[in-house]
Amino acid sequence: MTSVSYTSEKVENGLYDVKSFNSLPEKEISLIEAYNLGLSQGKKFDKKAILLFFNSVDDGIISGRNGKKMNWQGAFSLPTVNHNMVVIIEKGKLKRYRIIDSSEEFTIPDSEIKIDSTNIVNSAIEKFKLLPRDDSFSHGYHFRLVRDEKYIFLGVDGKINNQNAEIFYNPKNGEYLGDVMTPKNN
């Protein structure tokens, strides 16, 4: 087990439950609300915590029309303490987090996250006639914030003309970046 000191805190690999989970009310939250929950937890270990990725997680019900979901997961780099942190959000509340060894991945600076899932879902529905998915893999609309070597993408997942589709936007300004359509398996 790797252990690192950051100020007076000691950071150790492991899975940690959040004590307040059962006392907080259940609610749907947007991508930025989920991101802020995770970032707040990450900054308890490293003031320079920075996002690696964030996405909604299927909850078995058709939801997301308002850009909000109950379940999310994401990962943050904790560069000062040489670790990463994975956060699990269920029912709109931080449920647990896992501290793991650091890895070389592209990061998403806070300054690049200005557009929320509540904004892009409306654009995808209006401009592309995106419908919610309802299959064994996914229910409703889903959202993810990821990056590659060059670009940062904010995606909304659903269906267009009976095909699975993901519409991508720039998370800084909301500009349409492209889409991916895959035929639905019968």
Side-chain angles (χ1 to χ4, degrees), residues 18-26 93:
V18 175
K19 292 181 175 131
S20 64
F21 178 77
N22 290 320
S23 64
L24 296 172
E26 296 179 9
K93 307 175 283 186

Side-chain angles (χ1 to χ4, degrees), residues 1-4 10-16 83 99-101:
M1 182 178 289
T2 304
S3 175
V4 178
K10 198 168 215 179
V11 179
E12 294 186 6
N13 287 1
L15 181 64
Y16 303 92
H83 279 71
I99 302 294
I100 58 176
D101 290 333

